Amino acid sequence: MSIVTDLLAKPGVIAAGEYAYRGDRFSYRGELSENHARVASIMCRATTMSVNMEASMLEALQPLSGLLPPRGWLVHGPGYTVCVVANVFCLLDNRKGSINDLVGFMCQALAAIPSDMI
Amino acid sequence: MSMIRRLLALDGVNVICHFRDDGYLIEGYGLMSHNDMGRLAQFARDYRRIAQGNADQLAMFSGMRGWTPPHGWIIRGATQSLCGVANLVCVVDSTGAPLNEILMELREVSHW
Amino acid sequence: MTTLDDLMKLPGAMAAFEFRGSGEMLEHRIAYPDRINESTLDLLAHMCAANLSIATMQARGWEKVTGMEGFYPIQEFTLIGFDWSVVVSGLQREQYKQAGKFSLPPFMGVVLANESADYEAAFGLLERKEPVP
């Protein structure tokens, strides 16, 4: 089973997908239109690129910062949370799902993904 | 003589660096150590990509044309400023430097 | 109001800090000075200020384009680093803004060790609602 299928089976997960670090393609499943999933994948990729660069800048200025390479990031809104680890994104309904479970699962499932493709 | 070196002839330009798409320094001239030029090149490449990613999203959400692809960026500090255009970055004095001329020159040189 | 000392009680808390929207760090607490220092926190605060701003831009754009609400105002931004995570929030400021106050409290952040990080507990603390004085 793919990680996207696993994620969709988790409570509160509305949509999940993967995007290419090069930005040329994405795939997703769940309750999002094709266009909105494209917008989401562009945003997720941009933020992933930014945090990776920021972490490398931080590392250059302050070695052993413990943040490099970043595994992912979360944006927590009042109703929804965006959770991204490596090149996988996931949209969670805050009322129905557990962020800790989701982050734990994604970090474990994607631990072996190399970050040098970013 | 290197084409980018002529930028140093402009008033207020202290350093000019040319870097590859991966941020590796190809050549650099001016008042800075080679190591620091390498760091500057990496920073400029990273900063360009962050600014470009953010501008792409602004264009996507606003629907307004004319933002992307961005030509360059300027970070203006108290006494020193950075100007980046394509794979070039230069350090200039914040006061007295002819910024418009420097940017025009950077754009021209970046096309070579 | 949630304080830095409250944040330091979170599981795996390494440090907690307050910062302005510009990224300038104000108060801070450090649990393990041999592992994280003030200089790193200062850089983190600036980085997190940038990420919160961009996440807010994204939330505004997303809600406008999709009509799907529930992202704005951003409550927290979290970076899950290799060993550590940092969670930052400006939610208390929103509560002050909504109460019509001009003087706003600072942004808050906490650095957590990944192995014991409890993101929900961090969010819960940072989202704690208390009467605006």
Side-chain angles (χ1 to χ4, degrees):
Chain A
M1 262 203 322
S2 76
I3 183 156
V4 171
T5 310
D6 290 339
L7 285 170
L8 276 175
K10 297 212 165 284
V13 173
I14 295 163
E18 294 178 59
Y19 57 91
Y21 286 127
R22 286 192 309 185
D24 54 349
R25 62 204 144 81
F26 69 95
S27 61
Y28 80 103
R29 287 178 57 199
E31 295 169 32
L32 274 183
S33 70
E34 174 87 9
N35 188 42
H36 291 168
R38 184 184 62 82
V39 170
S41 70
I42 289 171
M43 288 196 299
C44 291
R45 175 176 172 270
T47 303
T48 298
M49 299 299 248
S50 292
V51 297
N52 271 277
M53 290 173 202
E54 287 162 0
S56 65
M57 287 179 188
L58 190 66
E59 187 71 17
L61 297 165
Q62 191 73 52
L64 303 173
S65 66
L67 289 171
L68 194 75
R71 295 178 195 268
W73 50 271
L74 304 170
V75 167
H76 188 58
Y80 300 100
T81 299
V82 180
C83 182
V84 175
V85 174
N87 64 330
V88 175
F89 64 92
C90 179
L91 197 55
L92 181 78
D93 184 332
N94 291 345
R95 290 165 306 171
K96 298 178 185 163
S98 159
I99 292 160
N100 285 349
D101 285 354
L102 198 61
V103 173
F105 172 74
M106 290 177 82
C107 282
Q108 196 169 26
L110 297 164
I113 297 274
S115 59
D116 54 2
M117 293 297 289
I118 296 170
Chain B
M1 181 175 141
S2 164
M3 289 300 187
I4 67 163
R5 206 168 184 162
R6 76 179 207 186
L7 274 136
L8 279 182
L10 296 175
D11 280 350
V13 177
N14 299 324
V15 179
I16 171 78
C17 294
H18 181 207
F19 54 90
R20 281 192 326 217
D21 283 344
D22 63 359
Y24 181 81
L25 178 70
I26 298 170
E27 54 179 339
Y29 305 97
L31 305 166
M32 188 179 267
S33 70
H34 191 263
N35 270 352
D36 284 350
M37 283 184 188
R39 290 194 186 99
L40 176 66
Q42 192 68 43
F43 168 83
R45 174 261 194 182
D46 285 351
Y47 196 80
R48 178 188 170 197
R49 287 177 67 174
I50 290 173
Q52 191 157 352
N54 293 340
D56 285 346
Q57 294 180 86
L58 175 70
M60 177 173 78
F61 287 133
S62 68
M64 183 179 173
R65 299 170 77 92
W67 288 108
T68 55
H71 285 305
W73 50 269
I74 300 171
I75 299 175
R76 200 162 160 79
T79 60
Q80 298 279 303
S81 297
L82 296 179
C83 299
V85 172
N87 286 11
L88 297 172
V89 60
C90 65
V91 182
V92 302
D93 291 335
S94 289
T95 47
L99 211 51
N100 295 342
E101 195 184 339
I102 292 167
L103 284 169
M104 270 179 15
E105 193 79 1
L106 277 170
R107 279 188 71 176
E108 194 184 327
V109 172
S110 71
H111 290 137
W112 289 342
Chain C
M1 202 165 123
T2 299
T3 63
L4 292 181
D5 295 322
D6 294 333
L7 291 172
M8 290 300 280
K9 289 177 193 147
L10 284 166
M14 308 284 295
F17 55 103
E18 290 178 346
F19 59 105
R20 292 205 170 108
S22 57
E24 185 187 339
M25 192 166 73
L26 302 166
E27 291 287 310
H28 70 275
R29 303 276 187 280
I30 293 173
Y32 303 99
D34 52 328
R35 297 188 67 184
I36 190 163
N37 58 32
E38 187 177 343
S39 166
T40 301
L41 279 185
D42 174 76
L43 293 168
L44 263 181
H46 282 87
M47 184 180 87
C48 290
N51 281 322
L52 265 177
S53 292
I54 290 302
T56 301
M57 180 273 275
Q58 291 173 322
R60 301 287 273 185
W62 174 264
E63 293 195 351
K64 192 174 133 235
V65 167
T66 65
M68 179 183 185
E69 297 195 343
F71 291 99
Y72 179 84
I74 297 296
Q75 315 213 115
E76 287 86 20
F77 179 89
T78 304
L79 172 66
I80 307 163
F82 192 74
D83 298 319
W84 301 347
S85 293
V86 57
V87 183
V88 291
S89 177
L91 196 65
Q92 284 184 346
R93 297 165 65 84
E94 286 301 321
Q95 289 164 10
Y96 274 64
K97 271 192 230 169
Q98 280 162 16
K101 299 277 180 187
F102 289 102
S103 175
L104 305 178
F107 290 84
M108 298 189 91
V110 61
V111 180
L112 305 169
N114 278 357
E115 64 262 31
S116 49
D118 183 340
Y119 301 101
E120 287 161 23
F123 293 166
L125 257 186
L126 291 164
E127 289 167 21
R128 201 159 70 184
K129 275 199 177 137
E130 277 165 49
V132 175

